[in-house]
Amino acid sequence: MKLSKYLLPTLREVPAEAEITSHQLMLRAALMRKLASGVYSFLPMGLKTLRKVEAIIREEMNNEDAIELLMSALLPAESYMASGRWDVFGSEMFRLKDRSNRDFCLGPTHEEIFTETVKNTVKSYKQLPMTIYQIQTKYRDERRPRFGVMRSREFIMKDAYSFDKDQAGLDASYEKMYRAYKKAFDRMGLDYIVVDADSGAMGGSGSQEFMVKSDIGEDTIAYCEKCGYSANSEKAACIPEKGSDEPMRDIEKLHTPNVGTIDELVSSLNTSAKNFAKTLIYRADDKFVAVMVRGDRDVNETKLTNYLGAIEVELAAASDVMEITKANVGFAGPIGLEVEVIADNEIMEMHNFVVGANETDYHFINVNVGRDFTPDHVGDFRTVCEGDVCHKCGGKISICQGIEVGHIFKLGTKYTEALDCTFLDEDGKPQVPIMGCYGIGVNRCVAAIIEQHSDEKGIIWPMSVAPFEVIVVVPNMKDEAQKNGGEMIYNELKKLGIDVLYDDRNERAGVKFNDADLIGIPVRITVGKKFGEGIVEFKERKSDEILEMSIEDAINKAKEIVERER
Ligand code: ATP
Ligand code: MG
């Protein structure tokens, strides 16, 4: 490709809206442009990388015998109504009506549609196991689209669904996808870890996420250096910290005006947050519950949702809190509350602690479980913290941030049952297939690759996903010999099957070198002043070293590197 005839509107300035490196570079290197919040158009260079990422995923899926097909993005509502997800998706689902007023959505994910397809096409156990997949556009009206294509409202997903006769079959299908994912992410040059993930309240029997460690990641990962355990913090199990053995003291009600926060309260009582039990009022679908965790802990809403089997839990509105506690927000406590009290395990370890008194400006001190109140439910309802004890080995838990690029999930029969999908077993009896589902965020992968492969000058593409493998730069196009030399090397490289970009623009040398660094093509060959002596410059984007060599050596070296790293 000749750059003079290409579409590469690179930007000098960092666009103000882009907070993170990958988003900035995807705009500056002209991979994409924004159309609306969370909606992007891919420009030619961005599309080339996107297609390379897709090709890697496709190859690895095919290698594990998954079969590619393509579903519509425009989907009738019925299957989602049958599975219950027409409601579950809530405002995240883009909904529309056709001219006859029938309900449709733009597919946020396709479990229902794949299940329908299998229901209509698979009849016998002889056709199973089967894993089918697509690489297709998804739509989710995310509450907070951000970081460019990292979290967008339209994005490309590779979604696969396995159908098996029994649990052992599902385990094997899952294992194959695990392998395919590892190979695909390795080939993309991503440095990632696989973490245990939440598998929801219903059906799922196992789930793992592929996480790219990054400070800008929206997921929190808990891991143990000692035994290698790692889990999404939504899921990571917590061990309660042992409490003291001090004897019970008499409970007292204290007047505590003007203390808005836990910090203010504990400092005015001259105690610590560890000696305070937070009581938070939650709305779980259409009922209210009170959840207690130690003052320095956070309620884990995923654990709470799963425990309650709820579709959605969220903190109750202030007006509801006031009605339930008969006090202003901030004074809830377990004593005398009429809603169910759900306590984290750690509350059972505490003695002589502080709680709200369900009365504005009052707290109880020296509260003890058993004597002063008894929770209705006790369990693991808090989020893991840095320094916690690992529940597997007793080691120490560390916390880091991660970008979820892929997710594999043993689903069970939730969808096949809901949609009445069956096959005939060896005895001719109808059975329900067991499903797994497996997703990769294709454009999120592109962004994650850039997060891990860039410097202050721009992107440093791994060869496997680089939009072009080699760039040929002629800094001075006015020099006929150099211009012809550039053209000749460009043609030679093309003949070798290398994906090559030729910067033949009438631009200043500085502009050309800056752009070459910004767009991050792995190998650069510069045809400059020494071309008359048969010498060109050879540089890899990831190294600072500029080598001088003969034209032939440069071409051979480029070929060797491309073929090795591609
Ligand atoms: P998240 O927790 O990030 O919202 P999710 O659990 O909703 O992800 P899945 O439904 O498992 O994601 O989708 C499979 C993959 O699709 C994810 O692993 C992620 O890589 C990608 N993905 C999900 N939502 C988005 C989005 N809004 N923009 C870009 N990629 C996304
Ligand atoms: Mg999501």
Side-chain angles (χ1 to χ4, degrees):
M1 183 57 64
K2 290 188 175 171
L3 198 38
S4 63
K5 297 191 173 58
Y6 203 51
L7 182 60
L8 187 69
T10 54
L11 306 173
R12 296 275 156 269
E13 304 297 323
V14 177
E17 87 228 41
E19 300 162 62
I20 60 164
T21 307
S22 59
H23 188 191
Q24 292 170 353
L25 288 174
M26 287 183 81
L27 294 171
R28 286 191 55 214
L31 303 182
M32 65 176 194
R33 284 282 196 271
K34 178 174 165 179
L35 206 57
S37 166
V39 184
Y40 292 86
S41 307
F42 272 78
L43 296 179
M45 286 268 270
L47 181 63
K48 284 202 81 183
T49 286
L50 203 57
R51 291 286 180 254
K52 289 196 177 183
V53 170
E54 286 177 5
I56 290 175
I57 297 170
R58 181 174 284 116
E59 267 178 42
E60 297 305 335
M61 294 301 291
N62 294 350
N63 270 340
E64 293 292 351
D65 308 317
I67 313 165
E68 184 170 8
L69 42 65
L70 182 62
M71 303 289 183
S72 168
L74 178 64
L75 303 172
E78 284 74 18
S79 335
Y80 288 89
M81 287 177 173
S83 73
R85 289 210 293 184
W86 187 256
D87 295 328
V88 172
F89 268 109
S91 45
E92 206 171 295
M93 188 183 252
F94 278 104
R95 293 156 205 267
L96 59 163
K97 288 194 186 280
D98 72 3
R99 64 176 75 212
S100 328
N101 212 31
R102 273 193 296 256
D103 283 313
F104 280 80
C105 69
L106 296 178
T109 173
H110 279 64
E111 279 77 3
E112 286 82 349
I113 311 305
F114 275 69
T115 305
E116 291 279 3
T117 304
V118 167
K119 174 178 172 174
N120 296 327
T121 55
V122 171
K123 301 292 168 212
S124 156
Y125 72 94
K126 290 181 195 147
Q127 293 164 278
L128 300 180
M130 185 161 79
T131 297
I132 38 186
Y133 78 98
Q134 62 177 347
I135 298 177
Q136 186 256 11
T137 307
K138 299 281 182 269
Y139 296 87
R140 295 182 185 179
D141 196 357
E142 297 277 357
R143 194 191 298 264
R144 254 184 14 120
R146 61 179 197 151
F147 295 165
V149 291
M150 222 34 121
R151 181 168 300 284
S152 51
R153 299 197 293 169
E154 183 193 79
F155 60 97
I156 299 173
M157 196 199 285
K158 186 289 299 168
D159 48 328
Y161 306 86
S162 63
F163 294 82
D164 275 279
K165 290 183 286 189
D166 50 29
Q167 186 65 37
L170 169 62
D171 293 346
S173 297
Y174 182 91
E175 201 51 42
K176 281 164 90 86
M177 289 299 103
Y178 180 89
R179 254 190 337 247
Y181 276 38
K182 285 200 84 132
K183 286 195 188 142
F185 293 131
D186 284 342
R187 284 179 62 188
M188 289 176 210
L190 284 172
D191 181 13
Y192 60 91
I193 55 172
V194 189
V195 308
D196 289 352
D198 173 52
S199 45
M202 285 166 285
S205 60
S207 159
Q208 286 165 301
E209 288 163 344
F210 290 73
M211 292 279 190
V212 169
K213 277 194 191 177
S214 163
D215 289 342
I216 59 97
E218 291 184 300
D219 283 273
T220 304
I221 302 166
Y223 63 98
C224 171
E225 301 271 12
K226 198 167 153 211
C227 72
Y229 169 73
S230 60
N232 192 313
S233 69
E234 289 178 347
K235 150 109 185 173
C238 295
I239 293 206
E241 195 174 88
K242 282 264 160 289
S244 73
D245 297 328
E246 62 181 31
M248 285 191 218
R249 288 195 288 269
D250 289 342
I251 184 169
E252 270 179 66
K253 189 165 46 164
L254 283 192
H255 190 216
T256 50
N258 309 321
V259 287
T261 65
I262 293 182
D263 286 347
E264 285 168 7
L265 176 71
V266 295
S267 79
S268 90
L269 294 178
N270 199 16
T271 174
S272 89
K274 287 187 176 190
N275 199 33
F276 177 81
K278 287 195 253 201
T279 308
L280 298 163
I281 309 295
Y282 272 90
R283 192 181 55 72
D285 300 337
D286 42 19
K287 78 171 187 179
F288 292 97
V289 293
V291 185
M292 298 183 72
V293 290
R294 211 171 74 178
D296 57 335
R297 306 300 199 189
D298 291 316
V299 172
N300 184 315
E301 293 181 2
T302 304
K303 291 178 183 174
L304 182 64
T305 308
N306 290 346
Y307 181 80
L308 294 172
I311 291 173
E312 193 183 47
V313 303
E314 61 178 3
L315 279 171
S319 55
D320 291 322
V321 175
M322 286 160 77
E323 202 180 312
I324 291 163
T325 64
K326 304 182 179 64
N328 284 346
V329 174
F331 298 95
I335 301 175
L337 259 194
E338 282 180 5
V339 296
E340 280 179 26
V341 175
I342 299 178
D344 180 61
N345 290 324
E346 226 160 36
I347 298 291
M348 310 310 279
E349 295 286 333
M350 295 170 70
H351 297 281
N352 301 322
F353 54 96
V354 182
V355 300
N358 298 320
E359 186 178 337
T360 301
D361 289 346
Y362 284 91
H363 281 85
F364 285 118
I365 62 166
N366 297 333
V367 172
N368 287 279
V369 186
R371 182 190 68 183
D372 303 319
F373 73 98
T374 304
D376 300 288
H377 311 265
V378 178
D380 177 5
F381 296 109
R382 74 173 174 95
T383 299
V384 68
C385 298
E386 177 89 39
D388 270 0
V389 173
C390 170
H391 78 289
K392 285 253 152 105
C393 76
K396 209 169 120 204
I397 291 289
S398 302
I399 300 284
C400 70
Q401 297 306 114
I403 303 165
E404 179 195 321
V405 286
H407 189 183
I408 55 178
F409 194 158
K410 293 183 187 173
L411 257 181
T413 53
K414 178 175 175 212
Y415 296 96
T416 39
E417 259 172 36
L419 296 163
D420 211 7
C421 168
T422 58
F423 64 96
L424 295 180
D425 69 10
E426 285 87 337
D427 303 322
K429 290 211 187 75
Q431 302 284 353
V432 178
I434 307 183
M435 277 176 82
C437 67
Y438 316 90
I440 295 181
V442 178
N443 11 26
R444 188 181 283 185
C445 283
V446 174
I449 294 166
I450 297 174
E451 284 297 323
Q452 290 194 330
H453 299 274
S454 70
D455 62 12
E456 66 296 339
K457 292 182 191 148
I459 303 170
I460 308 174
W461 286 116
M463 188 67 78
S464 58
V465 294
F468 292 93
E469 294 161 326
V470 176
I471 182 168
V472 176
V473 179
V474 175
N476 178 12
M477 288 294 285
K478 295 204 181 82
D479 184 310
E480 262 324 290
Q482 288 173 27
K483 184 173 151 188
N484 292 337
E487 183 95 17
M488 183 267 287
I489 295 173
Y490 165 64
N491 284 321
E492 281 301 310
L493 290 168
K494 269 210 310 192
K495 264 191 244 155
L496 292 170
I498 290 172
D499 209 354
V500 48
L501 183 65
Y502 174 29
D503 191 350
D504 61 338
R505 295 174 299 171
N506 286 312
E507 286 283 359
R508 283 180 295 113
V511 169
K512 292 188 167 192
F513 289 129
N514 285 344
D515 273 347
D517 283 341
L518 175 62
I519 64 178
I521 309 306
V523 172
R524 187 181 85 196
I525 296 175
T526 307
V527 181
K529 291 204 183 77
K530 289 198 182 164
F531 180 71
E533 303 156 41
I535 303 275
V536 294
E537 284 177 11
F538 187 99
K539 182 178 176 298
E540 286 189 69
R541 176 65 180 87
K542 64 185 173 208
S543 129
D544 287 331
E545 204 179 12
I546 297 178
L547 306 169
E548 291 189 342
M549 59 184 77
S550 71
I551 297 163
E552 195 189 340
D553 284 352
I555 291 174
N556 286 338
K557 194 171 169 65
K559 177 171 183 281
E560 187 235 319
I561 293 175
V562 169
E563 286 175 355
R564 188 179 62 224
E565 295 183 7
R566 182 184 262 171

